[in-house]
Amino acid sequence: MPILKSTFFVLFFTCFLGWSQQPLSKKEELDFLKQVKQTSEHTETLKGQFLQTKQLSFLEKSIESSGNFYYQTPNLVKWEYKEPYLYGVIFKDGSLLINDNGKKQDVDLASNKLFEKLSDLIVNSMNGKMLTDTDFSTSFFTENGEVMAILIPEQKQLAEFFKAIELHFNSVTFLVEQVKLIEKSGDFTLIKLQNLQQNPSLNASVFTH
């Protein structure tokens, strides 16, 4: 992305965020990245619940869903939807495993570069690697005592789908607690992670399709 265009997006989101959010200094940014890296290195598994809100411009009400979330290093992720429907998604061994209320489907991520990149995006948002991903231009802010990272996609495929990605980190654990995917249209998906447990024991059956 040209420097002027990248700068424009960063300035735009800086202004849009309002006065309650302050950019991190370079030292604060480096200290924060160090803390996230240390947390990632000491995190083997994660477990919790999630609340997902989908906001679409053509709908008066947002769409909400919820369920359980599991992560195991280096790249196992499971989203287990419980409400309003039963639906499971597992990213495992280069595949996207879908369980739609008993109807199972396997998608080879290598054959779909966009899905493969989205898989990397999800995993890297959990382990903190996304913050230094060269496919994004990243800015850091403080908001209500927590750190928020705003990532502007520079990789072509991602830029076709997302205007920006916001990651909110807990100020004590340095774990991601909120992910917001903002589409080019302005529609967005907000995922809030709740009751996160760091390094719980996970049975292998959790990631069984």
Side-chain angles (χ1 to χ4, degrees):
M1 176 183 288
I3 294 177
L4 287 177
K5 188 175 182 182
S6 177
T7 303
F8 168 78
F9 275 114
V10 172
L11 290 175
F12 172 80
F13 277 99
T14 302
C15 296
F16 178 77
L17 290 171
W19 296 105
S20 63
Q21 297 164 349
Q22 299 295 326
L24 264 62
S25 67
K26 191 62 179 179
K27 181 181 184 304
E28 290 173 330
E29 180 180 322
L30 292 175
D31 289 343
F32 169 71
L33 290 174
K34 181 179 179 180
Q35 292 282 3
V36 171
K37 185 174 184 293
Q38 289 177 348
T39 296
S40 174
E41 290 173 347
H42 291 86
T43 301
E44 296 293 327
T45 59
L46 289 171
K47 175 183 178 181
Q49 290 80 50
F50 69 88
L51 175 62
Q52 178 177 304
T53 302
K54 179 71 175 179
Q55 182 68 55
L56 300 170
S57 58
F58 57 86
L59 294 179
E60 291 185 5
K61 294 184 178 181
S62 57
I63 303 171
E64 291 192 351
S65 53
S66 60
N68 299 321
F69 161 82
Y70 306 89
Y71 165 78
Q72 181 173 304
T73 187
N75 56 8
L76 289 176
V77 177
K78 179 177 182 178
W79 300 93
E80 185 179 40
Y81 290 82
K82 295 292 189 179
E83 296 289 343
Y85 44 75
L86 297 177
Y87 191 85
V89 177
I90 301 174
F91 292 93
K92 178 181 181 181
D93 299 330
S95 295
L96 171 62
L97 310 177
I98 300 171
N99 188 339
D100 185 0
N101 198 20
K103 298 179 181 179
K104 298 182 179 181
Q105 179 183 2
D106 295 4
V107 179
D108 183 7
L109 295 178
S111 65
N112 190 313
K113 293 302 179 183
L114 177 59
F115 273 17
E116 185 176 37
K117 190 60 186 177
L118 289 176
S119 173
D120 292 341
L121 185 155
I122 292 170
V123 171
N124 290 341
S125 67
M126 295 298 107
N127 59 28
K129 292 181 180 179
M130 190 175 175
L131 298 177
T132 55
D133 192 331
T134 56
D135 285 341
F136 298 90
S137 173
T138 306
S139 301
F140 299 90
F141 301 84
T142 57
E143 180 184 38
N144 300 322
E146 297 187 346
V147 174
M148 177 177 67
I150 298 180
L151 299 94
I152 308 299
E154 296 191 347
Q155 199 265 356
K156 184 178 179 180
Q157 280 186 309
L158 289 175
E160 290 177 353
F161 287 88
F162 300 113
K163 180 187 295 182
I165 298 171
E166 296 180 6
L167 302 178
H168 291 248
F169 291 80
N170 183 285
S171 59
V172 176
T173 64
F174 294 95
L175 293 171
V176 173
E177 287 191 332
Q178 182 172 299
V179 180
K180 187 174 184 180
L181 305 172
I182 305 171
E183 300 172 23
K184 292 184 69 175
S185 63
D187 295 339
F188 65 83
T189 300
L190 177 65
I191 301 172
K192 294 183 178 180
L193 301 178
Q194 304 167 332
N195 304 316
L196 273 180
Q197 300 176 39
Q198 188 176 12
N199 294 322
S201 176
L202 296 181
N203 194 294
S205 62
V206 169
F207 300 102
T208 299
H209 188 39

